[in-house]
Amino acid sequence: ADQRESWYKQLFDNLTALAQNSGDDATVGLLKQMKDDVVSKMPGSNLAGYGVYREAWTRYAIAMSVAKNDKSITAAQDKWLEDLTEFVKKYTKAEDTPEALHQLAIGCEFGGKTDEAKRWYTQLVESFPQHHLAPRSRGSVARLNLIGTALTLSAPRLDNGQTFDMSQLKGKIVIVNYWRSANSDQFKDDFARLKTKMQEIGTKHNVELVSINLDDDAAVARDAIAKTQAPGIHLYQTPSNNAGGLNSTLATQYGIHILPTLFMVNRDGRVTSNSLQIGDIETELRKVQ
């Protein structure tokens, strides 16, 4: 009995992996059968929640893998959010509840449901303050509330290690760019476009570019900057306590989970856009002149 839960979890994990890899109806059925059995014998338990979450996650993963068009993708995502909502209401303290709340918040945020996203992020922070997702969720709420407020940003410069603070650029319009070179070459195109933009507007409109790198290694960041000749001020926080890159304070401060993420800050240091697109820089710039 004292080992039952760990063995059940291993079985759930194995069936989840097998079902997601194969998409086989029989394997999904076996996962459901095991989940139903646990829910029936141990209703409301953490283990029941473990099974319920993995079955829902598996069905979502399979639905996304076979989706043929935007309509089927939207349907799969909507069903996933419905399942997550039902899960967090029924299993308020299960070990998967923080992850479910975070997925809900992100899904709502991407769907343009900002107020709903903030509610889910806040529920995670309040219900699970010690969970590793709590700082990022707290930061996400701060990011979603940034418009019209002052941006707080202080970190070491990558070139000389001296502390940079946003107050140093008061009087300038600032584009803040969170980026990462690892696992993608997208940053090369992004910096090429930003370099062109800064050549057009930097001196003319007194605009500064501040880029925050979220790689796990400063040497990787320096190499990427050298190769792209990326303009502007570059910030980097050395990892501490195994928290670097996407888990660093610079990333969690504003709940950064999509890269690149860009802000625009006006001459008074207040954020005018917390979801800036590179192609929209001139449009946003005209609003703050």
Side-chain angles (χ1 to χ4, degrees):
D2 62 336
Q3 297 180 24
R4 180 183 297 125
E5 183 160 322
S6 63
W7 280 102
Y8 264 101
K9 285 180 178 180
Q10 289 186 56
L11 285 168
F12 274 129
D13 289 344
N14 288 339
L15 284 172
T16 296
L18 181 59
Q20 289 187 17
N21 287 330
S22 69
D24 179 62
D25 289 341
T27 307
V28 176
L30 189 58
L31 176 61
K32 180 182 183 302
Q33 180 182 341
M34 182 176 165
K35 179 266 298 182
D36 289 343
D37 181 62
V38 173
V39 169
S40 174
K41 293 178 179 177
M42 292 173 268
S45 66
N46 179 67
L47 187 57
Y50 198 88
V52 169
Y53 186 76
R54 274 146 192 79
E55 187 202 3
W57 174 32
T58 296
R59 292 189 183 280
Y60 169 64
I62 292 173
M64 289 294 289
S65 70
V66 300
K68 302 295 184 182
N69 49 49
D70 290 344
K71 183 177 180 180
S72 55
I73 290 173
T74 298
Q77 292 173 336
D78 288 346
K79 180 63 168 64
W80 174 231
L81 294 180
E82 290 174 9
D83 289 342
L84 289 172
T85 301
E86 183 178 344
F87 177 85
V88 299
K89 289 179 178 179
K90 186 170 184 178
Y91 298 95
T92 58
K93 294 296 181 181
E95 64 182 276
D96 291 306
T97 304
E99 176 64 30
L101 287 167
H102 197 245
Q103 291 291 330
L104 259 175
I106 291 175
C108 290
E109 184 180 337
F110 288 168
K113 302 175 183 177
T114 302
D115 289 339
E116 191 172 347
K118 288 191 284 189
R119 285 198 298 272
W120 293 124
Y121 282 131
T122 300
Q123 184 174 333
L124 193 162
V125 172
E126 292 178 348
S127 300
F128 302 91
Q130 303 304 316
H131 194 274
H132 71 90
L133 288 172
R136 187 179 300 279
S137 296
R138 189 180 297 108
S140 294
V141 174
R143 171 173 46 77
L144 293 174
N145 286 329
L146 269 178
I147 302 298
T149 66
L151 182 74
T152 300
L153 180 61
S154 180
R157 292 180 58 131
L158 186 60
D159 55 355
N160 57 26
Q162 295 182 1
T163 300
F164 164 86
D165 190 273
M166 276 296 294
S167 61
Q168 297 169 5
L169 298 180
K170 193 167 184 178
K172 291 189 173 187
I173 294 171
V174 183
I175 297 170
V176 178
N177 169 43
Y178 291 85
W179 69 286
R180 175 180 171 91
S181 68
N183 306 324
S184 173
D185 286 334
Q186 178 64 40
F187 76 96
K188 296 178 182 177
D189 179 60
D190 292 338
F191 272 126
R193 296 172 67 198
L194 285 168
K195 187 175 181 179
T196 299
K197 297 289 185 187
M198 291 305 298
Q199 289 171 344
E200 295 171 352
I201 66 175
T203 302
K204 182 178 179 180
H205 298 288
N206 199 19
V207 179
E208 188 73 62
L209 175 64
V210 176
S211 294
I212 300 99
N213 177 266
L214 299 179
D215 281 310
D216 296 314
D217 188 332
V220 173
R222 290 191 185 94
D223 183 61
I225 291 168
K227 287 180 178 178
T228 58
Q229 296 186 347
I233 296 169
H234 295 277
L235 307 182
Y236 183 84
Q237 185 177 57
T238 302
S240 62
N241 298 321
N242 296 320
L246 290 171
N247 294 313
S248 67
T249 302
L250 283 175
T252 58
Q253 179 186 13
Y254 289 115
I256 305 301
H257 48 72
I258 292 296
L259 298 176
T261 289
L262 288 86
F263 305 150
M264 183 170 283
V265 182
N266 67 15
R267 301 187 196 281
D268 292 329
R270 298 184 181 279
V271 177
T272 62
S273 175
N274 58 0
S275 57
L276 182 66
Q277 302 297 312
I278 296 175
D280 295 332
I281 287 177
E282 287 94 340
T283 301
E284 190 64 30
L285 185 61
R286 285 194 289 271
K287 296 179 184 177
V288 300
Q289 288 287 36

